[in-house]
Amino acid sequence: MKIAIIGGGAAGVIAAITAKRLNKKLHVDIFDINKAIGKKILASGNGRCNISNTKITQENYFGENPSFINQALKEFDFKAFENFCKSIGLILDIKDSCKVYPLSNEAKSVVTLLENELDRLEINQILQTKIVDIQKLDEKFNLISVENKEFNGYDRVLISSGLQAAPQLNSTEDGIDIATKFNHTFNPTYPSLVGLHTQFDYKNKLQGVKKEATVTLYIDKQKDKQITGDVLFTKYGVSGFAILDISQYAVYPLSLYQDVTISINLFPTLTRNELLGILQTLFKTLAKSDAVEALTGIIPIKLAVVLLQMNNIDINAKADSINAKQQRAIINTLTNLRLKIEDTQGFKHAEASGGGIRTDEVDNKTYESKLCKNLFFAGEVLDIVGNRGGFNLHFAWASGFLAGKNLAKL
Ligand SMILES: Cc1cc2nc3c(=O)[nH]c(=O)nc-3n(C[C@H](O)[C@H](O)[C@H](O)COP(=O)(O)OP(=O)(O)OC[C@H]3O[C@@H](n4cnc5c(N)ncnc54)[C@H](O)[C@@H]3O)c2cc1C
């Protein structure tokens, strides 16, 4: 039996390995545009590869139908993944009590060990080959590359070509185009886990300021989600882990032109009164100093300057000249900095893509298409996207594993 896998990312590679381990007689070809498999694995986790998570539940995933993933998570939970890793010689390390990395701390070792296993199993890698079309004739699939080269006679095909996030790594939406030829439909794709563009006059002045904060998202003025973590002010708006996480909830309403606003509380562990007390003490201690200098006791100097400007206070004002009303205004800005979100940083800077092939057209036990026999899907090309923290790679591994098992079935 001849199997073609379009896309040598996490999903495609684990599918190939799983299928070939179950049936040594299979002929398996993995096609990829890049010179080598696993380009996105290499880029993940800033080169360290946050490869999975020990606490995975459906709540970490989004899409039209997130419960689609439950079967894959049941059959291929963290333990199963750990065993797979051991079988290729990869030892894992758990950080922050749930995030999983290779013990080597290097994404490169993950890709090298996967490549070695592909070689051991004699799985062919047909690289620098962009598949743009599939034709099904007499129960056989023929793949056609962008150069019009044909690869004929496949009994089963897996589309694991991902989506558009990080197009600089040759990411494409070709999988969607190919699937639509077999009557599949898809939900519109959007960049996820991505920085947000804000409408804010002081963007340039705050560039580089980073602080742990609580970010609250408002959609059409209704409170939606709250996340605590790093916020980084940038020249386009905001980034940092709290923002990447909250972007997951902001991007879809943005695409519908809803009003999207965030409120940043830069002192989430203090009450407003506690913060006011600290501020008043500082202003008393440094009464004859510039208010900016006094404020640097609690915030970065760039933020101190902007804080005064935003509240129409002279930046050369002395600490003891800041009256009670101005103090309250400062506290309000520090605990409820409201920013209107205008856009995202786009696919180029996104860690993942939302949207994709509609999951109700795919069997969640086998990952086979319900519309075309012997056509399978796995990974990000499907309308499932996860939170930051190893969830996207875990879905790629888990869905690829299930697809691989069923690709091998006689
Ligand atoms: C910068 C960055 C950091 C990330 N960090 C993390 C992280 O730490 N943890 C985490 O869980 N997730 C992370 N992600 C997300 C994660 O990498 C992806 O969700 C996951 O790799 C998707 O796997 P996949 O196999 O479905 O798709 P992909 O990895 O995208 O693989 C698809 C493959 O198909 C190939 N391809 C595409 N079109 C064609 C075609 N027409 N013909 C042939 N080949 C084709 C591509 O070259 C690619 O190799 C990160 C993503 C990025 C961009």
Side-chain angles (χ1 to χ4, degrees):
M1 189 159 58
K2 227 175 135 184
I3 287 173
I5 293 181
I6 306 175
V13 170
I14 195 172
I17 292 172
T18 306
K20 193 78 200 252
R21 280 178 177 176
L22 286 170
N23 182 352
K24 293 274 177 317
K25 289 192 190 136
L26 290 180
H27 172 106
V28 182
D29 291 336
I30 300 183
F31 293 85
D32 204 286
I33 302 176
N34 287 318
K35 276 191 196 145
I37 57 131
K39 198 84 186 244
K40 213 171 262 183
I41 300 173
L42 284 180
S44 66
N46 282 328
R48 291 166 60 217
C49 191
N50 182 187
I51 196 168
S52 179
N53 194 296
T54 57
K55 293 179 186 153
I56 298 185
T57 62
Q58 185 195 309
E59 283 67 46
N60 300 111
Y61 293 93
F62 306 84
E64 186 179 31
N65 173 26
S67 66
F68 175 81
I69 62 165
N70 285 339
Q71 186 66 28
L73 298 187
K74 203 165 107 192
E75 272 202 51
F76 200 76
D77 59 6
F78 171 66
K79 264 277 146 262
F81 176 62
E82 193 176 29
N83 287 337
F84 171 80
C85 289
K86 277 187 193 149
S87 78
I88 60 166
L90 182 70
I91 306 303
L92 302 177
D93 188 22
I94 299 169
K95 292 192 167 49
D96 303 331
S97 73
C98 60
K99 288 187 190 161
V100 182
Y101 293 85
L103 188 60
S104 65
N105 212 24
E106 237 194 20
K108 180 93 183 73
S109 53
V110 179
V111 174
T112 303
L113 291 169
L114 288 170
E115 279 174 330
N116 292 347
E117 185 67 5
L118 291 176
D119 290 346
R120 267 192 296 275
L121 290 166
E122 296 176 355
I123 292 167
N124 302 310
Q125 298 178 44
I126 303 178
L127 301 169
Q128 294 179 284
T129 305
K130 179 176 160 78
I131 301 299
V132 290
D133 197 8
I134 306 180
Q135 283 160 3
K136 195 175 183 193
L137 289 171
D138 303 328
E139 297 307 308
K140 297 279 183 192
F141 293 94
N142 299 329
L143 276 54
I144 297 139
S145 77
V146 72
E147 290 92 8
N148 227 7
K149 195 166 168 201
E150 287 195 25
F151 301 87
N152 293 338
Y154 292 96
D155 301 283
R156 287 179 182 159
V157 173
L158 169 66
I159 298 180
S160 53
S161 51
L163 288 176
Q164 238 203 101
Q168 62 279 17
L169 304 177
N170 280 333
S171 308
T172 76
E173 294 200 345
D174 294 342
I176 291 185
D177 294 341
I178 295 170
T180 54
K181 295 189 176 146
F182 294 93
N183 298 322
H184 276 280
T185 57
F186 63 96
N187 284 317
T189 59
Y190 58 88
S192 189
L193 305 180
V194 65
L196 298 173
H197 288 221
T198 55
Q199 201 181 72
F200 185 40
D201 290 342
Y202 301 93
K203 280 186 280 208
N204 282 335
K205 290 186 175 169
L206 281 188
Q207 192 180 340
V209 170
K210 191 175 180 184
K211 187 156 183 344
E212 170 143 292
T214 293
V215 182
T216 309
L217 179 71
Y218 292 87
I219 309 292
D220 288 337
K221 312 230 169 344
Q222 298 295 311
K223 187 172 169 179
D224 187 273
K225 192 84 198 160
Q226 196 164 66
I227 287 175
T228 299
D230 282 342
V231 171
L232 173 68
F233 291 89
T234 66
K235 63 172 187 271
Y236 59 82
V238 278
S239 186
F241 290 154
I243 299 296
L244 297 186
D245 286 344
I246 218 142
S247 72
Q248 191 81 268
Y249 306 88
V251 176
Y252 187 62
L254 267 179
S255 72
L256 300 179
Y257 301 101
Q258 287 179 275
D259 180 72
V260 180
T261 310
I262 54 169
S263 159
I264 303 176
N265 180 355
L266 293 158
F267 288 91
T269 57
L270 297 175
T271 65
R272 287 165 70 96
N273 277 346
E274 283 167 342
L275 189 57
L276 183 63
I278 292 170
L279 187 75
Q280 286 171 337
T281 309
L282 275 174
F283 282 175
K284 217 186 236 169
T285 313
L286 299 174
K288 295 297 166 207
S289 304
D290 288 348
V292 166
E293 187 193 330
L295 282 166
T296 54
I298 53 169
I299 50 175
I301 188 156
K302 279 185 183 177
L303 184 55
V305 172
V306 167
L307 191 60
L308 296 186
Q309 289 174 327
M310 284 179 74
N311 289 296
N312 300 316
I313 302 171
D314 181 354
I315 58 163
N316 298 311
K318 298 293 171 202
D320 64 357
S321 73
I322 310 292
N323 63 34
K325 193 173 166 205
Q326 290 170 325
Q327 287 174 10
R328 283 200 303 278
I330 287 173
I331 297 301
N332 194 42
T333 311
L334 287 175
T335 55
N336 183 19
L337 176 60
R338 291 258 174 173
L339 301 175
K340 186 169 164 54
I341 305 301
E342 293 179 313
D343 202 353
T344 73
Q345 272 277 74
F347 283 108
K348 191 168 176 202
H349 301 277
E351 282 193 12
S353 295
I357 301 292
R358 294 188 59 213
T359 47
D360 58 355
E361 298 168 356
V362 178
D363 184 324
N364 74 337
K365 293 190 180 68
T366 61
Y367 282 72
E368 186 173 5
S369 160
K370 290 180 184 170
L371 310 179
C372 174
K373 199 168 169 347
N374 292 326
L375 180 67
F376 293 73
F377 295 95
E380 203 167 306
V381 72
L382 289 163
D383 178 20
I384 290 288
V385 64
N387 276 328
R388 221 175 31 84
F391 299 105
N392 282 306
L393 274 169
H394 191 89
F395 176 65
W397 304 122
S399 56
F401 174 79
L402 253 67
K405 243 176 71 172
N406 290 287
L407 281 166
K409 268 203 178 132
L410 293 173

